[in-house]
Every structure is written in C-alpha cells, then in structure tokens.
Amino acid sequence: MTPKSRTDLYAAIRRDYRAGLGKRALMRKYGVGHPTVQKALESAWPQPRKKLPPRPTRLDPFKSLVDEMLRADLVAPRKQRHTAKRVFDRLVDEHRADGISYGMVRAYVAVRRGEIRAEAGHGSAEVFVAQSHRPGQEAEVDFGDVTVRLAGQTVVCSLFSLRLSYSGKAVHRVFATSGQEAFLEGHVHAFSVLGGVPRGKVRYDNLKAAVAKVIGFARERQENARWLAFREHYGVDSFYCRPGLTGAHEKGGVEGDIGRFRRNHFVPVPEVGSLAELNTLVEQWDEEDDRRRIRMRPRTVGEYFAVEQPLLAPLPGEVFDAGQVIETRVDRHSRVWARAGFYSVPVRYIERRVRIVLHANELAVYDGTTEIARHERLVAKAGERLELDHYLEALLRKPGALPGATALEQARQAGRFTPIHDAWWAAARKARGDKKGTKALIEVLLLHRRIPHEHLVAGLAASLRVGALTADAVALEARKAAESDDAPTQEPEGPSSVTSLTERRLAHLPPDRRPLPSPAAYDQLLHRRPAADKESMP
C-alpha cells in the first residue's frame, strides 16, 4: 500500500530497511530516488520544504514610496493618516502607477504598517493583560441599546447589566430610558437578585446619572448628589473608567456580556405588550444563563456564583427609593409633562399643582397623598399617554369631542375599547341620535370604574343582542355575567329546577337559631269581665 504522506513514506522506508531490505530495493518498491531513501534513514521526520523566493510584482518599484507615506503617518494626526485607498490613489495620480491594483496595495500596507511602527519603536497599538478576580469583590455596570416590538410599535429601550467579575453572574433589566432613575432601580433590582453587594470596586463609565463632572485627565470625579446618597446607602465603592473607547476595555466583561445577551435573547426582536412582560422574560433568561460555561471554565456560572454569593456584603435593612419627585401644574388638556412626554390625569385637577413620582418604567401622579393617576413610561420623545377614563366627566358635557379624541384612539390600540364597544355605540347613535347615543356610551364607560372589564363587555354584547341600549341594561347584564361566573360549575344530580332569587339569598344566610315566637305573653293584655256581668248575659 502506497504511503499517504511524506511522514508515512519515511516510516515505511525505515521499517523495511530494519527488516533487511536494501536501498536499491527500497527505491524500486516506493518509486523514489536515492536522496529520498538516504534522508528517510537519517531522520524519521521530513525536513520542511524550502520556501521559494518571493516573485517580483508590479508593486516592487513603488514599495519605497509606500514606506515613506507610512513613516509620515507616525507623526501625523490620528484622523489624518493614510488609508490603503489613499495610498493607492496617490501612487496612481502622482507616480503614474497604472499597472498596480488596489488589492496589491492593501495587502502590502496591512503588513508593512505594523513593521514600520515596530521599527520606529512604537510597538503594538494596544496590549491586553489578563486579569484575575477574587470572589465577592468586583463587579461591572453598563447600559446597552435593544430594539423590541412594544405594544405593536418598534422602539429602542435600554438594557441595564450588572456583572460580577469572578463568577460571571449577570443581572439584566430593560428600561424605557437610561436616566438616573433607571440607573438606580437597576442597581436595586440587581442587588436584590444577588442577595448582596460587592465588597470591592464596581466599574462604571462616566455616565451622567453618576458623574456630574470629569476633573482633568485623572480618575477624580465630581459625583451626582443623588448617586452619592445611593452609594452611601448600599456601601458601593465606585471606580470610573477612562473616557472614550480606551475606557471600555477597562470593563470588558460587562461590554461583552451585553453583546452576548442581546445576540442570544433579543434575536429575533421580541414582541411584548409591556415592559413588565419583557422583564419577566429577562428574569427567566438570566436563570437559564446560570447553566452556561464561560470559555474553558470547568464549572457553570451558577456553580461559581454559589461560591461567591456568601462572600457579598449584606443588604441594608431598607430599600433605597429610586423614584424622582417632580412638582408641576396640570394643563388645560388635563395633562402633566414629565421627561419628554405628556400624561393624563382626571379633568377635575386641571390648573392644580400635583406631584409626580418618576420611576424607570412607570410614574405616579399625586394630589397631596392621594394617587390620582399611574402610567407606564413613554419610550419615544414628545409622546402622549392619555387615559380615556380621565376625560369622561368632560365628555358628558361635550359628547361631540369623543369621536376624534386621542384618548379614545389610544384606548382602541390598547384593547380597552373593543369592537363590541364600537358596535354598541353605532347602534345607540342609530336609535337615539348622535348626541344622546354618545352620552349613553359615556355612561357605559363610567361603569368601568366599578364593574370588571370582561363582565362589562359581556353586558354590552348581551344588551346589544336584545336591543336594550341603555347604561342600566348594560349594568344589569354585566351583573348577570358576574353572577354566572361566581355560580358553582358542578351540575346538580337531580332534575333541573328553577330557584327563586329569595331562596338563593336565604341559602347563603347563616341558620336562624332563635326560638319561634309565641302569643302567650300577650294574654295578660286581654280585658277580663267581672263574673256578675257574665251571669246577667242571656
């Protein structure tokens, strides 16, 4: 059998030579010359082939010119250095190098640029040094952008990530923005999930939520007052990376984690109804990632975290309130302005001063200590989030404003104003006219405040079928739907019978243990006649 490689050929020749086969016989058997047999007997490992000298190319006469351009780049501004394309263009325009191609120049520049830097003593552009981390000591924090389909619209949200450097355990959270309230709430959520706080440095970018001012080129920073209070509450020791791209390499663990998490869990783009629903998925993904291994580590992330978790600093007794308080006035459209968006409140608070507690994904509006509205945060700037219920009292006085109301359109998009509402409204206007039919619908919408949505929709459908287009009829049918949901589902064993409403109510009352009434106590009130009067009677 003919050997498949030169190493196999040498091994076969040496084996046959030891068995007594002569050199001439080996030459005839394997079809090789004497030098090959001699080399195989001298060494079991074939000598590498000699490299052929490089062939001359049409670029050779111009290589010295390219080297001069690259040497000039050593002292040129970083953004005004030669690219391979610029080198090619100069050779063609200034030196009539018509016989060369751009591929020749690009290949030569890619190799020669680094050699020229090394010859000049500049060394390599960047050096990365491997790091080791002790358990429970260090962590890294960063934000990244993610695109999601939120309630049917494509929006860009902010993905918060806090990653422990030793175990690689990361906690993620999606927020509408990357503002300070999201920055603080992300920390609160992450520390709650981890069950502790890193005892050593936590690395950050110079983001505005934490840093008010970068002082010179040193590591000194003027921190935001609210962030400083948060750090003192949880005992966080912050470390701020250098500004720009070079600082990103100082927290490469969380930079890579955001990219990995985005590629593995946000492809394809997730479609959710709310950020709360999306964050429920994110928590599940974090638990699944505990079973993965990082590079060549022998154990999973979850196993390393089990070692690290007891070494974290304990959480404080109270949770830091990350919400931001804003005082403002309600405008004539019954809206308040908060962080690049309008939010509705009930119309009775128009021109009143109210207090907004702003969280990362929602906000609440207060009149004194009474909460008057709560909304999910807007993702897009200059948007509006209007609740139809807030305008119903005004619409009773102005029913003609309902068909084109922005709050009505948003209620339709959110699914709270259903096609059954539209069908009932159309029937009511046809039977009673536009004004009275619209007022009847508004009275029905007011019922949503005390009747669950699904029962009221069932009441609308039932009243529409029988043609009873009044709010009272809808309320009656909605109560019937609620009672049918509350009734026991088990079928009776005997024949079906009709039970009166009185008997049904008495069946739910406790047993009456009082004695039955007796008229004996009233006998003393009877008038007793004298005996003489009885004898004189005929």
Side-chain angles (χ1 to χ4, degrees), residues 211 237 338 426 437:
V211 177
D237 188 5

Side-chain angles (χ1 to χ4, degrees), residues 12 69 71 87 225 247 253 257 272 275 289 318 349 417 423 446 475 506:
M69 298 178 193
R71 289 192 182 97
V87 172
D257 171 76
V272 292
L275 289 178
D289 286 348
E318 296 181 359
Y349 295 101
F417 195 89
L446 287 168
L506 291 175

Side-chain angles (χ1 to χ4, degrees), residues 3 5-15 17 22-47 49:
S5 66
R6 198 169 184 82
T7 304
D8 295 338
L9 175 63
Y10 275 32
I13 291 174
R14 293 169 67 88
R15 183 171 58 252
Y17 185 78
K23 293 183 180 180
R24 289 182 180 275
L26 292 171
M27 293 165 57
R28 288 192 298 270
K29 179 177 180 180
Y30 294 105
V32 297
H34 182 269
T36 302
V37 173
Q38 187 64 33
K39 290 179 181 179
L41 297 178
E42 292 175 357
S43 174
W45 190 257
Q47 295 298 320
R49 294 180 181 272

Side-chain angles (χ1 to χ4, degrees), residues 16 33 41 67 110 122 152 157 201 223 229 246-247 252 280 299 331 391 409 425 476 478 502 534:
D16 290 347
L41 297 178
D67 291 350
H122 287 225
C157 299
K201 300 287 186 182
E223 293 181 310
T246 55
T280 301
R299 291 181 289 176
D331 66 12
Y391 297 92
E409 183 61 28
W425 186 15
L476 179 62
T502 302
K534 291 182 180 180

